[in-house]
């Protein structure tokens, strides 16, 4: 199984094709768009690895943007005892949810590719639910 180590948002992530990842918010990006990460620190598989210094030139990772959103609220509460002083603040960190689709080596060859996602239709889900209900009743 091939993997790559990418750098984005000041953090490093080990990614594989088909993996869904929550990263720092990517500016100027809309849903269902392709994103390319060119800061590849290393890539490889079970047998060999290619390490850059600091990055591998020519290597890249392609991903699809799934969702932009905000995390849950984190409360920051500061209190100074016996001073009648307290301060309450909240923060919601923005994130982008991405799905890794392809990993390319430095010579442009595809190391690994994710399978296509098929969205099931509502009719199929209803038929499966009815079949499960009938099986349970018997």
């Amino acid at each position: 199984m091939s993997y790559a180590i990418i750098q984005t948002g000041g953090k490093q992530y080990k990614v594989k094709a088909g993996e869904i990842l929550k990263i720092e918010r990517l500016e100027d990006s809309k849903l269902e768009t392709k994103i390319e990460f060119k800061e590849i620190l290393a890539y490889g598989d079970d047998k060999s690895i290619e390490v850059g210094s600091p990055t591998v030139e020519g290597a890249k990772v392609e991903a699809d943007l799934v969702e932009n959103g905000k995390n849950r609220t984190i409360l920051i509460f500061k209190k100074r005892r016996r001073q009648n002083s307290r301060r309450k603040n909240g923060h919601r960190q923005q994130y982008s949810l991405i799905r890794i689709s392809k990993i390319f080596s430095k010579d442009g060859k595809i190391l690994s590719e994710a399978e296509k996602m098929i969205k099931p239709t509502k009719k199929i889900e209803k038929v499966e639910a009815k079949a499960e209900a009938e099986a349970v009743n018997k």
Side-chain angles (χ1 to χ4, degrees), residues 32 38 63-65 79 82 90 106 121 127-128 132:
E32 304 297 327
K38 299 204 185 263
D64 299 322
L65 184 66
K79 180 177 166 125
R82 296 187 300 272
K106 65 181 178 182
T121 60
V127 170
E128 290 175 355
E132 288 177 12

Side-chain angles (χ1 to χ4, degrees), residues 16-131:
K16 297 177 184 171
E19 191 174 52
I20 294 178
L21 198 63
K22 189 186 241 185
I23 61 172
E24 295 287 322
R25 171 83 182 242
L26 298 170
E27 296 300 323
D28 302 329
S29 53
K30 295 179 179 146
L31 295 179
E32 304 297 327
T33 58
K34 296 262 185 219
I35 301 164
E36 283 189 1
F37 297 102
K38 299 204 185 263
E39 289 190 40
I40 309 301
L41 304 175
Y43 66 86
D45 54 10
D46 299 335
K47 299 173 186 163
S48 64
I49 185 169
E50 181 80 27
V51 180
S53 58
T55 60
V56 180
E57 295 298 323
K60 67 179 180 177
V61 171
E62 273 188 7
D64 299 322
L65 184 66
V66 177
E67 176 187 8
N68 282 328
K70 286 183 172 183
N71 283 331
R72 295 178 64 185
T73 303
I74 297 173
L75 292 178
I76 300 101
F77 186 77
K78 296 183 179 179
K79 180 177 166 125
R80 293 166 196 88
R81 62 184 188 158
R82 296 187 300 272
Q83 305 294 320
N84 196 19
S85 170
R86 58 187 172 199
R87 184 170 69 204
K88 182 179 175 183
N89 199 353
H91 176 73
R92 293 185 73 189
Q93 184 68 36
Q94 295 186 342
Y95 68 87
S96 291
L97 207 62
I98 60 169
R99 183 175 186 270
I100 306 298
S101 58
K102 294 178 187 173
I103 299 175
F104 292 93
S105 65
K106 65 181 178 182
D107 55 349
K109 191 174 107 181
I110 296 178
L111 290 178
S112 66
E113 188 170 0
E115 298 174 2
K116 299 284 184 191
M117 284 188 66
I118 301 170
K119 294 182 181 178
T121 60
K122 292 182 181 179
K123 290 181 182 178
I124 294 173
E125 291 175 2
K126 288 180 182 176
V127 170
E128 290 175 355
K130 284 182 182 178

